[in-house]
Amino acid sequence: MDKMNLDEFFKRIGFSGPFEKPDQATLNAIHKRIVMTVPFENLSIHCGEKIGMDHKAIFNKIVREQRGGWCMEGNYLLAWVLRELGYDSVMLGARVTFGNANDPSAPESHLINMVTIDGRRYIADVSFGLSFQIWEPIELVSGKDHTEAAGVFRLIDQDGLWFFEKTSRKQKILNPDLAKSGEKEKKPTEQIYCFTLVPREKDHFTDINHKRQTEPNQLFTTKSITSLQTPTGFRILLGWTYTEVTFRPDEGVDLVDTRDLSDEEVETILREKFNIKLKNKLSPKNNKIGYGV
């Protein structure tokens, strides 16, 4: 396997610089290019492929094979990029609260990065997907609104436990009959995940990375998911259901356009809308576990 290099990575995400120093502007630009070009996806689970935590294997998959990945691929690769560029960064472990009713026994199953620039700390997360995906890093300041096209994100410090939340707009469903299939009703403000500032290493995530792709009756083994941000919103393929969401902040709504696909159309949508061409046959899956866009 050829050596990893930044030029190849930058070509994959369409980043042409300039890069003069590890500053906030460069971090913002790279972060946004990643979420616009590298899908959040778990298709390997449904293609008979194993997801490991080897940087070279992840680089080969995302950069050379034009695939995406989940947080222990996308954010783990970002950790390498940050180090190569000279940023002061550490990995953190987050516990997903969205859909878990803030279960205190839930494991730290989400990998994120914390970057310190000129004394200010930022959370960089390019691998959560859907409407909960930040386009640019969010500053680690409790209660400060971070407004993006998708809505208003913020971090809340509760005695050293940081909660990441989002206030969303109302959704206007263009075809409501299709959109009812297993979606979780959205609340105006929802907690997404929580974390402490204790630095984590790769070994902290190895076990949960294995469990999340092998345990039955949990999100990633019961649903095949592909999500990609666009300049106007995001796209998601959930099993055989394809949805395009258009952010309309000036109107106070998000437009949600959903349609069901045939097996043949799934392959076409992956290629045309996500730039993904799989080597192994995909078995789409969308069992009924609540999961809203």
Side-chain angles (χ1 to χ4, degrees):
M1 191 178 295
D2 292 339
K3 186 178 179 181
M4 301 162 62
N5 69 84
L6 284 174
D7 288 341
E8 200 173 353
F9 176 80
F10 288 154
K11 183 178 180 181
R12 165 71 174 92
I13 66 171
F15 175 73
S16 56
F19 173 70
E20 297 178 356
K21 60 180 180 178
D23 57 14
Q24 183 186 354
T26 302
L27 176 64
N28 288 352
I30 291 173
H31 195 286
K32 190 170 183 177
R33 288 307 308 157
I34 293 173
V35 302
M36 294 288 170
T37 57
V38 179
F40 172 82
E41 52 110 329
N42 70 336
L43 301 182
S44 289
I45 296 173
H46 305 284
C47 291
E49 302 166 358
K50 183 179 179 181
I51 301 173
M53 290 193 69
D54 175 78
H55 266 143
K56 290 183 178 179
I58 295 171
F59 185 92
N60 191 60
K61 175 183 176 180
I62 290 178
V63 176
R64 295 177 179 140
E65 296 178 5
Q66 299 285 307
R67 287 283 301 278
W70 60 11
C71 68
M72 282 167 273
E73 296 172 288
N75 279 333
Y76 188 47
L77 184 59
L78 176 61
W80 171 80
V81 172
L82 293 171
R83 287 196 300 270
E84 289 292 300
L85 290 173
Y87 282 96
D88 177 5
S89 66
V90 296
M91 295 188 298
L92 304 177
R95 177 161 49 86
V96 177
T97 52
F98 170 70
N100 287 333
N102 199 11
D103 179 3
S105 66
E108 291 185 351
S109 61
H110 186 53
L111 188 161
I112 58 178
N113 288 281
M114 182 172 70
V115 188
T116 302
I117 303 171
D118 297 331
R120 295 184 175 185
R121 295 175 294 182
Y122 300 86
I123 297 301
D125 182 356
V126 297
S127 291
F128 201 92
L130 293 88
S131 63
F132 299 116
Q133 178 62 62
I134 50 174
W135 290 3
E136 295 183 348
I138 179 171
E139 188 174 2
L140 192 74
V141 176
S142 184
K144 181 180 179 180
D145 285 355
H146 176 85
T147 303
E148 294 193 354
V152 180
F153 298 89
R154 67 186 64 84
L155 295 167
I156 305 294
D157 179 14
Q158 295 185 7
D159 297 323
L161 183 63
W162 289 82
F163 286 86
F164 176 52
E165 66 179 29
K166 180 198 173 190
T167 299
S168 303
R169 291 179 293 273
K170 293 182 179 179
Q171 292 185 339
K172 182 177 181 181
I173 311 298
L174 302 183
N175 33 14
D177 291 339
L178 282 175
K180 290 179 181 178
S181 57
E183 284 198 359
K184 180 179 180 294
E185 185 176 351
K186 295 177 74 67
K187 300 176 183 177
T189 298
E190 294 183 285
Q191 289 183 351
I192 305 170
Y193 53 74
C194 63
F195 58 93
T196 68
L197 304 185
V198 178
R200 302 299 191 189
E201 299 295 334
K202 168 186 173 180
D203 291 348
H204 183 75
F205 301 99
T206 304
D207 184 56
I208 193 64
N209 182 65
H210 173 73
K211 288 181 177 179
R212 282 294 182 264
Q213 57 188 301
T214 56
E215 289 182 341
N217 301 320
Q218 61 90 26
L219 179 64
F220 291 119
T221 53
T222 58
K223 292 181 182 290
S224 53
I225 304 166
T226 310
S227 170
L228 183 66
Q229 304 297 300
T230 72
T232 57
F234 68 94
R235 302 165 180 156
I236 178 171
L237 177 62
L238 197 60
W240 295 267
T241 302
Y242 176 66
T243 300
E244 291 192 359
V245 176
T246 303
F247 300 144
R248 293 284 180 85
D250 293 342
E251 300 173 24
V253 298
D254 294 339
L255 302 182
V256 181
D257 189 6
T258 297
R259 62 187 175 100
D260 286 336
L261 309 174
S262 65
D263 285 339
E264 294 74 18
E265 289 175 314
V266 166
E267 183 177 337
T268 301
I269 286 291
L270 282 173
R271 184 176 63 252
E272 294 182 353
K273 298 296 186 178
F274 301 96
N275 196 30
I276 290 178
K277 187 175 182 181
L278 299 170
K279 294 188 299 183
N280 299 315
K281 182 175 175 56
L282 173 69
S283 298
K285 192 173 286 188
N286 189 11
N287 290 358
K288 291 184 178 181
I289 290 180
Y291 187 58
V293 301

